[in-house]
């Protein structure tokens, strides 16, 4: 048990300097951008899912939250909202970089997520656009939502706080995973999760729906450790919109509609995850 604990601690500590530098850069970019992200999505309504898929790829949970508020105010279409949600990856990018995942692999995964978000968003709008009425007057309210999700304190302290939070998540999960691998065996665990077609994607999608950065940490770490393949990775991360799902449930007037949207998000994420798994893409 002590060896498992120390291994998890040492592996997590190695990530700390890289995580801090990544989150510091993200904080600087976020403070410079301010509330212009929600304004950008609202102003580019004709481009809809294209803008949403590109903006959503930026690793900042406030974007998904602001997009949910924009949709609730009918500033953007459902396809644009889903494009933002599907391209969002929460903590995937910082963990990939801190774990020294090859840049080409990271770009392939991010690029494929953007393409999937773009296609899915436009397909949804193609089917539902006639039923959607946009109201540009709600854009300022969404900007306030975005502002509430990022810290106005010193960027160095904000980056440090985020780094420590993710470090604790990674350490806790790594320790638990070490225990499971020690008892079950890494090869056996991988066989269990990958031997049943579709099941891995369905489970990863459910984990991805959890509105917390821990869910993206778990899915990303399992992929890096070789426990799950590309199918479950995409199913979980496409569905993972972080606190955006909570904001949607809070701001959208119809709970039934919100649950329907989350169901659609889950279905789209799992569908693409299954397709990627069946194609056995080497990412």
């Amino acid at each position: 048990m002590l060896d498992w604990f120390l291994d998890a601690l040492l592996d997590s500590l190695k990530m700390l300097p890289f995580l801090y530098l990544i989150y510091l850069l993200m904080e600087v970019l976020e403070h410079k951008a301010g509330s212009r992200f929600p304004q950008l999505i609202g102003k580019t309504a004709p481009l809809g899912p294209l803008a949403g898929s590109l903006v959503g790829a930026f690793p900042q949970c406030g974007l998904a939250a602001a997009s949910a508020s924009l949709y609730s105010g009918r500033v953007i279409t459902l396809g644009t909202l889903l494009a933002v949600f599907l391209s969002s990856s929460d903590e995937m990018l910082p963990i990939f970089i801190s774990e020294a995942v090859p840049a080409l692999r990271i770009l392939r995964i991010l690029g494929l997520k953007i393409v999937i978000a773009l296609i899915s968003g436009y397909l949804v709008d193609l089917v539902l656009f006639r039923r959607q009425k946009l109201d540009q007057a709600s854009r300022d309210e969404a900007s306030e939502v975005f502002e509430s999700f990022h810290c106005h304190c010193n960027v160095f302290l904000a980056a440090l706080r985020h780094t420590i939070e993710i470090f604790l998540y990674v350490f806790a999960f790594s320790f638990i995973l070490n225990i499971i691998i020690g008892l079950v065996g890494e090869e056996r665990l991988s066989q269990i999760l990958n031997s049943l077609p579709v099941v891995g994607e369905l489970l990863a999608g459910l984990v991805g729906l959890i509105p917390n950065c821990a869910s993206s940490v778990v899915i990303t770490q399992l992929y890096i450790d070789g426990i799950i393949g590309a199918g479950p990775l995409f199913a979980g991360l496409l569905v993972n919109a972080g606190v955006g799902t909570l904001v949607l449930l809070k701001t959208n007037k119809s709970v039934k509609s919100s649950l329907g949207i989350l169901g659609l998000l889950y279905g789209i994420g799992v569908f693409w995850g299954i397709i990627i798994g069946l194609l056995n893409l080497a990412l």
Side-chain angles (χ1 to χ4, degrees), residues 178-275:
N178 282 347
I179 294 174
I180 295 173
I181 290 174
L183 296 175
V184 180
E186 184 172 349
E187 189 174 332
R188 176 60 178 160
L189 179 61
S190 180
Q191 288 177 347
I192 293 172
L193 292 176
N194 294 297
S195 60
L196 298 175
V198 180
V199 173
E201 286 79 7
L202 290 171
L203 292 176
L206 289 175
V207 173
L209 277 178
I210 299 173
N212 189 291
C213 58
S215 56
S216 59
V217 169
V218 169
I219 294 168
T220 305
Q221 203 65 49
L222 283 172
Y223 175 74
I224 291 173
D225 292 339
I227 305 299
I228 62 174
L233 172 76
F234 271 82
L237 292 182
L238 285 169
V239 168
N240 186 251
V243 293
T245 56
L246 290 179
V247 175
L248 178 66
L249 290 168
K250 180 180 179 181
T251 59
N252 199 25
K253 295 178 181 179
S254 171
V255 175
K256 182 179 179 181
S257 170
S258 298
L259 293 177
I261 292 170
L262 295 182
L264 181 59
L265 175 67
Y266 176 77
I268 292 173
V270 170
F271 168 78
W272 284 109
I274 292 172
I275 295 298

Side-chain angles (χ1 to χ4, degrees), residues 30-283:
E30 180 187 338
H31 276 71
K32 286 185 176 297
S35 60
R36 282 178 288 180
F37 282 115
Q39 298 288 341
L40 173 64
I41 299 177
K43 288 179 179 178
T44 55
L47 298 176
L50 173 60
S53 60
L54 293 174
V55 169
F58 185 82
Q60 170 51 244
C61 64
L63 297 177
S67 298
S69 181
L70 283 167
Y71 173 74
S72 298
R74 298 304 182 264
V75 178
I76 60 174
T77 64
L78 177 57
T80 303
L81 172 68
L82 289 175
V84 175
F85 279 10
L86 290 166
S87 64
S88 299
S89 300
D90 218 356
E91 309 302 334
M92 181 199 77
L93 184 59
I95 293 177
F96 270 173
I97 296 174
S98 63
E99 290 278 11
V101 173
L104 187 58
R105 180 186 293 185
I106 296 175
L107 290 175
R108 283 200 299 262
I109 291 173
L110 283 176
L112 186 52
K113 276 175 62 63
I114 291 172
V115 169
I116 288 173
L118 179 66
I119 293 173
S120 302
Y122 273 116
L123 285 175
V124 169
D125 274 356
L126 187 64
V127 174
L128 301 176
F129 181 74
R130 293 179 181 177
R131 305 177 191 176
Q132 302 178 74
K133 295 181 180 179
L134 300 185
D135 177 12
Q136 300 299 318
S138 301
R139 197 182 297 156
D140 290 339
E141 181 181 342
S143 296
E144 293 177 6
V145 172
F146 177 81
E147 289 291 333
S148 69
F149 274 91
H150 71 79
C151 176
H152 293 276
C153 56
N154 184 286
V155 291
F156 296 97
L157 292 178
L160 180 61
R161 178 187 58 79
H162 203 162
T163 299
I164 293 174
E165 180 183 5
I166 300 305
F167 164 78
L168 292 175
Y169 278 129
V170 171
F171 166 65
F173 175 70
S174 297
F175 181 44
I176 294 171
L177 186 59
N178 282 347
I179 294 174
I180 295 173
I181 290 174
L183 296 175
V184 180
E186 184 172 349
E187 189 174 332
R188 176 60 178 160
L189 179 61
S190 180
Q191 288 177 347
I192 293 172
L193 292 176
N194 294 297
S195 60
L196 298 175
V198 180
V199 173
E201 286 79 7
L202 290 171
L203 292 176
L206 289 175
V207 173
L209 277 178
I210 299 173
N212 189 291
C213 58
S215 56
S216 59
V217 169
V218 169
I219 294 168
T220 305
Q221 203 65 49
L222 283 172
Y223 175 74
I224 291 173
D225 292 339
I227 305 299
I228 62 174
L233 172 76
F234 271 82
L237 292 182
L238 285 169
V239 168
N240 186 251
V243 293
T245 56
L246 290 179
V247 175
L248 178 66
L249 290 168
K250 180 180 179 181
T251 59
N252 199 25
K253 295 178 181 179
S254 171
V255 175
K256 182 179 179 181
S257 170
S258 298
L259 293 177
I261 292 170
L262 295 182
L264 181 59
L265 175 67
Y266 176 77
I268 292 173
V270 170
F271 168 78
W272 284 109
I274 292 172
I275 295 298
I276 291 169
L278 291 175
L279 293 176
N280 197 25
L281 294 181
L283 295 171

